[in-house]
Amino acid sequence: MKDIINKLYRNHSLIYKGILFVCTTFLIVYLFPKSGKFKYNFEKGKPWQSENLYAPFNFAIKKSDEEINKEKHDITANSTLYFDLDVLVEQKVNNLYKVSFYKTFNDSLSRKKMDVLYNVGQQVISELYEYGILNENYDYHPDRSVVLLDGRINVKEGIFDDLIKQDEVTTLIENVLVKNDLINYKTAYTSLFFDLIEPNLSYDKSFTESAIQEELNKITYARGRIEKETLIISKGEIIEGDKYQILKSLQSEYESQVWSKSNYKWILVAYTLLVALALLMLLLFLRKYRIEVFENNTKVTFIFFNIFLMIFITTLVVNYDSKFVYVVPICILPLIFKAFFDARLGLFSHVITVLLLGFIVPNSYEYMFLQIIAGIVTILTVSELYKRANLFISVGQITFIYIIAYFAFFVIHEGSIDTIKWEMFIWFILSGLATLFVQPLIYAYEKIFGLVSDVSLLELSDTNSKLLKELSNKAPGTFHHSLNVANLAEASANEIGANAMLVRVGALYHDIGKMKNPTYFTENQSTGINPHDELSSKESARIIVNHVIDGIEIAKKNNLPDRLIDFIRTHHGTSVVYYFYMEEKKNFPDISTEDFSYPGPKPFSKETAILMMCDSIEAASKSLKEPTSTKIDAFVENIIDKQIEQGQFLNANITFKEIQSIKKVLKHKLANIYHLRIEYPE
């Protein structure tokens, strides 16, 4: 049992990766659309490339979205409008009219004239309330059919033009008076009816919408049927018109039938195998070409999390409305991976993600082509993400590539640009703008996953930062030494293609531990007094060695990233404090090197190896007397060869060829520092 536990503990990193791999696979498969895949690929306006296709089963021909939308529009536009009729209003107006009429017209008129005027007034009321007066002005077509309801009982039917709007009342009164040759009484009648007339019709919105919905529910989504074994399309035949719609119907029916039958589990297994295969390729890539990333579970989790996040966001957008799929800024993915890792890993992960998204999005080939091309452009154009101008230029180029590629695909599909969907360009522009969100996202990831990007490195390289300012005040000699080492290390990293920004910042902070006892280091001894004279060799060596441990403590206290703390840990490797070791050996010849050695570990990357070389060269160069090119060459060769003999670079992925290149850079830089010139003959 104990052996099993020990074995599990030794392999806990691989076990974690296995669990992460399985969980990510199942989560992605869960997001996939619940349907099978039609085995034929076809495009409208293109020839049918496969063999003659016969109907594998009976299925209905589905109407196109345009046909269904047109039917819905026609039903909505031509539906009957329903108005509530208040039947009591007309009776109320008639009763008031009998009283108000005789108050308006004086008794001097003859009885016959009064009767004529009275009857004309009743005629006005009758015409006004034949259908009714609207309570407000509605903007509907005059020929739209209407129904008047009294408590949901159909009272009268007509058209909207029959209904009287409030601003039409005066016109109707005038028309009746003209017809009866009583236009001279217009003012009297207008004054009379101004206070009498009330609207008696109000629009019943809920009943109208209910009636429309009832009609919409009656729409059939199919227009015909194809029997089994019927020839659908022949090889080479152009896919257009009804042929295209029949193929789309077969595709939809096939996918729904395949998924709903007993092979549901088999389809799930197939999806799982494909997703697992894609993610396995990513893990194998990391194991073969990025072993330092593969061995770091946090980084592997970070990569898998971002791939899943992009698939999750895209799935949400597709489920909401697939036309917005290009708004999702997929190009953020290679940007993030390039910021934290490198371009090759960023591009490989991007391609894997886009291949998985092909199962989710419509027009998968077109989508994958656009996104892979955009990802390549992203990787090629963004060289230094911490420079804001570079990001904006790259976003502009990505958007331009999207537009060009979409335009080309559209012309291929449709054969012209007459019906091009210009709003798609808006989605591409929005996607480009959303890509700018990468900056705050990188900051968030640095805090969550403890990673460090070039953006943070640029901030940390500022010599006015709190920690470096403290170093310059407490240990000015060490600060100057760190600046020189940073310059040497940056030049060396550029020569062999290492991360120059990372090694420069690592060099600036590698000796911050010397702030604790600055006067015990020669570069800070400005008074000529050496405190080591009062200490034993062992005590002096311990103080010198402890600057590494003190530096780690200070770095952690100031929340420096682990990638920078690695430079503090490794810049002396497991080397010996040689001067004090030899001093002690004079008195004790059999003394062990253990008390005089740095704790390590040895450098384990190109960048940490570069720092060890540059630190040793810069520190020792102060002892050069009357330097010449020959002396400097021998000096550099001797120090670095000694480090190689001690095995300090065994754990670093640096080659002898790269070490030779670094030597050349250091020789050239030291020659410039000491202002060496060609010796002219006398």
Side-chain angles (χ1 to χ4, degrees):
M1 184 67 181
K2 188 177 180 181
D3 292 339
I4 295 172
I5 293 172
N6 288 336
K7 193 172 182 180
L8 288 173
Y9 179 76
R10 285 195 302 272
N11 296 295
H12 73 279
S13 182
L14 282 175
I15 293 169
Y16 174 82
K17 289 182 183 70
I19 295 170
L20 178 67
F21 172 80
V22 171
C23 291
T24 308
T25 299
F26 281 115
L27 283 171
I28 291 174
V29 171
Y30 176 77
L31 294 175
F32 276 8
K34 303 299 183 285
S35 63
K37 277 287 182 183
F38 193 47
K39 62 181 178 179
Y40 298 105
N41 290 318
F42 59 91
E43 294 179 19
K44 189 176 182 181
K46 293 285 183 179
W48 178 255
Q49 299 292 343
S50 305
E51 69 279 359
N52 294 353
L53 180 62
Y54 294 88
F57 42 73
N58 300 335
F59 66 94
I61 304 171
K62 294 186 176 180
K63 295 176 183 176
S64 65
D65 291 341
E66 290 79 9
E67 289 175 306
I68 292 170
N69 290 335
K70 185 177 183 305
E71 284 188 41
K72 289 181 177 179
H73 177 268
D74 290 343
I75 288 172
T76 305
N78 301 318
S79 61
T80 300
L81 302 172
Y82 291 86
F83 290 86
D84 291 324
L85 173 65
D86 188 347
V87 293
L88 299 177
V89 170
E90 184 177 0
Q91 184 61 43
K92 178 184 175 184
V93 171
N94 274 313
N95 292 337
L96 290 172
Y97 174 70
K98 292 175 183 177
V99 177
S100 301
F101 176 79
Y102 293 104
K103 291 180 180 179
T104 303
F105 294 92
N106 55 51
D107 297 338
S108 60
L109 296 171
S110 65
R111 178 78 179 178
K112 184 178 180 181
K113 190 68 173 179
M114 288 289 283
D115 288 343
V116 170
L117 292 175
Y118 183 84
N119 291 335
V120 168
Q122 284 193 317
Q123 184 183 345
V124 169
I125 295 171
S126 177
E127 290 195 22
L128 284 173
Y129 290 102
E130 181 180 359
Y131 284 92
I133 303 171
L134 293 167
N135 62 339
E136 58 182 278
N137 291 335
Y138 299 98
D139 187 20
Y140 293 111
H141 193 277
D143 295 331
R144 190 87 171 262
S145 61
V146 297
V147 172
L148 309 185
L149 302 174
D150 178 16
R152 297 294 183 263
I153 299 172
N154 188 341
V155 176
K156 188 177 287 188
E157 297 179 5
I159 60 173
F160 184 71
D161 199 38
D162 293 332
L163 309 184
I164 305 298
K165 299 183 178 67
Q166 292 187 31
D167 56 6
E168 296 174 346
V169 171
T170 304
T171 305
L172 187 142
I173 294 171
E174 187 176 336
N175 291 338
V176 173
L177 293 176
V178 170
K179 197 186 301 179
N180 290 276
D181 198 22
L182 294 173
I183 193 63
N184 294 334
Y185 292 92
K186 177 185 174 183
T187 305
Y189 275 106
T190 303
S191 175
L192 170 63
F193 287 116
F194 182 80
D195 296 323
L196 292 182
I197 299 303
E198 291 182 24
N200 64 337
L201 294 178
S202 59
Y203 177 54
D204 194 333
K205 184 178 179 181
S206 62
F207 195 87
T208 303
E209 289 180 351
S210 176
I212 292 172
Q213 190 58 50
E214 190 176 334
E215 291 299 317
L216 291 175
N217 292 338
K218 293 178 183 178
I219 291 176
T220 57
Y221 289 83
R223 52 171 178 83
R225 186 174 178 81
I226 299 293
E227 298 297 325
K228 185 178 179 180
E229 300 301 331
T230 302
L231 176 64
I232 295 174
I233 193 166
S234 304
K235 185 174 182 179
E237 191 175 348
I238 301 298
I239 304 168
E240 57 188 358
D242 284 346
K243 295 287 184 184
Y244 178 74
Q245 199 55 40
I246 291 170
L247 285 171
K248 292 294 288 183
S249 301
L250 176 60
Q251 181 183 26
S252 176
E253 191 69 24
Y254 177 87
E255 291 176 351
S256 62
Q257 282 197 19
V258 164
W259 192 262
S260 61
K261 291 183 180 177
S262 58
N263 51 8
Y264 171 88
K265 292 180 181 177
W266 281 109
I267 293 175
L268 274 182
V269 170
Y271 269 145
T272 304
L273 287 174
L274 291 174
V275 174
L277 190 62
L279 295 179
L280 182 62
M281 293 304 103
L282 180 58
L283 283 176
L284 291 176
F285 174 85
L286 294 176
R287 190 171 184 274
K288 186 170 179 63
Y289 298 107
R290 298 293 181 271
I291 189 66
E292 72 281 359
V293 177
F294 180 80
E295 290 175 351
N296 189 317
N297 283 341
T298 302
K299 292 179 179 178
V300 176
T301 304
F302 174 74
I303 293 169
F304 275 57
F305 169 77
N306 276 281
I307 290 173
F308 171 75
L309 182 64
M310 280 299 166
I311 294 173
F312 176 70
I313 293 172
T314 305
T315 303
L316 289 180
V317 172
V318 169
N319 290 340
Y320 174 72
D321 193 335
S322 60
K323 73 178 182 181
F324 298 123
V325 68
Y326 286 106
V327 177
V328 180
I330 300 296
C331 289
I332 277 184
L333 197 65
L335 279 175
I336 289 173
F337 287 159
K338 187 177 181 182
F340 289 115
F341 307 113
D342 60 80
R344 286 179 65 189
L345 175 56
L347 183 59
F348 194 89
S349 303
H350 176 71
V351 171
I352 291 292
T353 306
V354 172
L355 289 175
L356 292 174
L357 287 172
F359 290 106
I360 297 170
V361 299
N363 300 322
S364 55
Y365 174 76
E366 177 182 327
Y367 177 86
M368 289 190 293
F369 183 91
L370 260 68
Q371 296 295 5
I372 289 174
I373 291 295
I376 293 171
V377 170
T378 303
I379 291 294
L380 293 177
T381 55
V382 180
S383 54
E384 295 168 318
L385 193 61
Y386 56 84
K387 293 183 178 178
R388 289 171 296 179
N390 285 2
L391 182 58
F392 278 98
I393 292 169
S394 179
V395 165
Q397 291 171 330
I398 293 166
T399 306
F400 182 70
I401 290 297
Y402 273 136
I403 291 172
I404 292 295
Y406 170 76
F407 178 83
F409 269 112
F410 188 88
V411 172
I412 290 171
H413 291 163
E414 301 296 330
S416 71
I417 61 170
D418 296 338
T419 57
I420 195 167
K421 298 176 181 176
W422 297 105
E423 66 269 17
M424 286 297 296
F425 297 157
I426 297 174
W427 308 146
F428 293 138
I429 293 169
L430 289 176
S431 176
L433 293 174
T435 306
L436 296 174
F437 186 68
V438 70
Q439 289 282 18
L441 198 59
I442 285 173
Y443 177 79
Y445 280 151
E446 286 177 336
K447 300 303 177 186
I448 296 170
F449 291 92
L451 301 171
V452 59
S453 69
D454 284 352
V455 180
S456 290
L457 290 176
L458 182 65
E459 294 174 358
L460 290 167
S461 68
D462 183 7
T463 53
N464 287 316
S465 65
K466 181 183 175 183
L467 193 55
L468 290 180
K469 207 143 192 158
E470 186 180 355
L471 177 65
S472 68
N473 290 331
K474 290 184 177 179
T478 300
F479 178 72
H480 186 260
H481 158 73
S482 297
L483 285 175
N484 289 336
V485 173
N487 291 330
L488 293 174
E490 184 178 20
S492 301
N494 282 325
E495 183 69 22
I496 66 169
N499 190 331
M501 178 65 76
L502 176 63
V503 74
R504 177 177 181 81
V505 179
L508 289 173
Y509 290 90
H510 79 284
D511 269 345
I512 55 173
K514 291 181 179 180
M515 285 194 291
K516 192 166 184 179
N517 297 296
T519 56
Y520 285 86
F521 300 91
T522 54
E523 65 265 27
N524 299 313
Q525 293 169 0
S526 56
T527 59
I529 299 172
N530 190 345
H532 288 288
D533 295 340
E534 300 176 3
L535 301 175
S536 68
S537 296
K538 274 190 178 182
E539 289 174 325
S540 294
R542 185 164 55 251
I543 291 172
I544 299 297
V545 168
N546 280 348
H547 89 271
V548 172
I549 299 165
D550 295 336
I552 294 170
E553 290 178 359
I554 293 169
K556 287 184 175 179
K557 186 178 178 182
N558 286 271
N559 298 316
L560 289 185
D562 288 339
R563 287 179 79 184
L564 294 187
I565 295 175
D566 289 339
F567 286 93
I568 301 172
R569 286 193 180 100
T570 61
H571 74 277
H572 285 295
T574 56
S575 60
V576 176
V577 184
Y578 195 70
Y579 175 82
F580 292 111
Y581 171 69
M582 295 305 294
E583 287 292 311
E584 188 73 5
K585 198 170 184 179
K586 291 176 184 177
N587 301 321
F588 304 97
D590 298 329
I591 189 71
S592 169
T593 60
E594 185 178 342
D595 293 331
F596 296 87
S597 298
Y598 286 96
K602 296 176 181 178
F604 48 79
S605 66
K606 286 182 183 181
E607 289 77 16
T608 50
I610 289 169
L611 178 62
M612 172 179 269
M613 294 183 223
C614 295
D615 182 43
S616 302
I617 294 293
E618 204 286 330
S621 68
K622 299 293 188 291
S623 63
L624 279 173
K625 296 177 180 178
E626 299 181 359
T628 63
S629 295
T630 306
K631 279 186 179 180
I632 287 174
D633 290 356
F635 167 76
V636 171
E637 292 285 348
N638 181 49
I639 288 179
I640 295 180
D641 287 348
K642 193 172 182 180
Q643 291 174 335
I644 294 172
E645 287 171 14
Q646 294 172 354
Q648 296 296 337
F649 306 134
L650 290 177
N651 297 333
N653 58 337
I654 192 167
T655 64
F656 282 114
K657 183 179 179 181
E658 288 170 336
I659 292 174
Q660 286 301 117
S661 299
I662 292 169
K663 285 180 180 178
K664 287 182 182 178
V665 171
L666 294 176
K667 291 172 186 177
H668 177 69
K669 287 288 182 183
L670 286 179
N672 288 339
I673 290 170
Y674 288 106
H675 306 291
L676 296 182
R677 291 181 174 85
I678 298 171
E679 296 180 8
Y680 295 98
E682 295 182 1

